[in-house]
Amino acid sequence: MNVTEIVTEGLLVNEFLDDFEKAVRQIGLDIDENWYGLMEGSFKEMKERHLELYLWFKKRLFEGLPWSGAKTIIQRQIGFYSSEMTHEIKNALPSYIQRPDETFQRYYIRFSLYVVACKSLYLYLDHTLIHHFLTNQNTNMYNFLKECLKKQYQVKKDTKTLPLPLSVYNHLKSKHPQEHLVAIALAKVPSSWSEFGQTIISKLPLQHDDINHNNTTTLHNNNNNSPPKRIRSVTFT
C-alpha cells in the first residue's frame, strides 16, 4: 500500500474501534467483559471473504484480554500504529505536494487526512504541517491564503491572542522580507491546523461547501462506501 492508502485505512480502523466502543457503552455493557464476543461476531461476518483476517483475530486476540490491550494490538497490526507504518507516514511529508492535475480543494482534503494521522501519532507540530501545506501548492491560492493569514495576524496582534511571542512574527514587519521567512511566520498565526482549516473554509469564495462536505465524507467514499480492505463496520449479532 502507498502512504495515502495506509493513512486512509488506518483512520478507518480508528473509526471502527471508536464506533465499536461507543456502541458497547451505549447498550450498557462492560466493554472489558464483552468486547471479545461482540467483536468476534463482526469478524465472523467477513470470514468467507477475508479468512486471513478472521484467523488473525482468533490467533492474536483472546477472551479476558482487557479492551485497552486488544485495541492497541488491532491498531498496531491493521492500523497505522506499528513502527513501520509510523515511519512511512512520518517520512511521507515531503511527498505531500499539490499534483499538477489536482484542484486546491482535493489537495486540501487529501492533506487533511494526512494531518489527522500525524496528530494521532504525535509526529509533527501543527505549525510544521500548516507551513508545508501553505508552501506546496501549484496554484495562485498561496497569495490568497497569505493575505488571509496576514489579516488574521493583525487581528490577533491587536487582541493579543497570537499563539507565540510577538518576536516570532517580526519578519512580517520587514520592508523587504524573505518570502520563506514570511511563510514560516504566517504558518504560526493559527493556533492549530483546525483553526487554519476553518480560516480556509470561511474565506474561500463559492467553494467552501465542497471542501466542508468532502472533508467529512472522503473516508466513507474512498473505497466505494466499504470500510478498509481489512475490516468491516461494527455489527452485533
Side-chain angles (χ1 to χ4, degrees):
M1 291 193 297
N2 60 39
V3 172
T4 299
E5 291 173 329
I6 291 171
V7 167
T8 301
E9 292 212 353
L11 292 176
L12 282 165
V13 169
N14 285 353
E15 185 178 53
F16 170 86
L17 295 171
D18 289 344
D19 287 349
F20 178 86
E21 184 170 344
K22 185 184 299 183
V24 174
R25 296 191 188 286
Q26 283 179 344
I27 59 179
L29 294 178
D30 185 292
I31 194 164
D32 283 322
E33 294 182 3
N34 293 279
W35 74 265
Y36 183 86
L38 294 171
M39 187 170 282
E40 185 181 25
S42 294
F43 275 79
K44 273 183 179 178
E45 287 190 358
M46 67 181 88
K47 184 177 178 180
E48 288 187 8
R49 289 188 301 163
H50 301 286
L51 179 60
E52 75 290 346
L53 184 56
Y54 176 74
L55 293 176
W56 173 85
F57 175 86
K58 298 296 288 184
K59 181 179 179 179
R60 292 287 285 116
L61 302 173
F62 54 90
E63 197 164 4
L65 179 69
W67 167 242
S68 59
K71 187 175 181 179
T72 298
I73 291 172
I74 293 172
Q75 286 177 321
R76 288 180 178 174
Q77 183 68 33
I78 55 179
F80 49 42
Y81 284 79
S82 70
S83 56
E84 180 183 354
M85 294 295 191
T86 300
H87 182 73
E88 284 195 46
I89 292 172
K90 183 175 183 178
N91 289 344
L93 179 60
S95 69
Y96 269 80
I97 60 177
Q98 187 180 2
R99 300 163 183 156
D101 60 345
E102 186 176 35
T103 65
F104 173 82
Q105 286 80 8
R106 296 311 303 174
Y107 175 49
Y108 170 73
I109 292 166
R110 183 166 61 90
F111 193 75
S112 291
L113 295 179
Y114 179 74
V115 169
V116 175
C118 287
K119 289 173 72 66
S120 297
L121 296 167
Y122 304 100
L123 294 180
Y124 292 106
L125 296 174
D126 285 40
H127 296 147
T128 300
L129 295 167
I130 294 170
H131 177 259
H132 181 87
F133 177 83
L134 194 63
T135 55
N136 283 279
Q137 301 171 39
N138 58 17
T139 68
N140 60 1
M141 289 301 300
Y142 171 72
N143 289 330
F144 179 82
L145 291 176
K146 186 168 70 171
E147 291 308 309
C148 288
L149 289 171
K150 281 185 175 180
K151 291 177 182 178
Q152 190 180 39
Y153 163 76
Q154 193 58 51
V155 170
K156 287 194 168 190
K157 180 185 173 187
D158 293 343
T159 57
K160 298 181 179 180
T161 55
L162 286 165
L164 297 172
L166 194 59
S167 58
V168 174
Y169 307 94
N170 282 340
H171 295 294
L172 291 175
K173 302 176 183 178
S174 173
K175 293 182 180 179
H176 303 286
Q178 298 181 49
E179 190 59 36
H180 75 283
L181 295 177
V182 170
I184 290 172
L186 287 173
K188 292 177 169 59
V189 171
S191 60
S192 65
W193 171 265
S194 177
E195 183 185 310
F196 177 62
Q198 290 301 317
T199 300
I200 294 172
I201 292 170
S202 63
K203 299 297 182 182
L204 276 178
L206 303 178
Q207 298 170 330
H208 64 279
D209 289 338
D210 180 59
I211 290 180
N212 194 38
H213 172 73
N214 281 296
N215 196 33
T216 58
T217 59
T218 298
L219 284 178
H220 300 285
N221 294 333
N222 191 68
N223 289 311
N224 300 318
N225 284 324
S226 173
K229 298 170 185 174
R230 303 182 241 169
I231 205 161
R232 288 187 51 177
S233 7
V234 177
T235 54
F236 296 146
T237 57

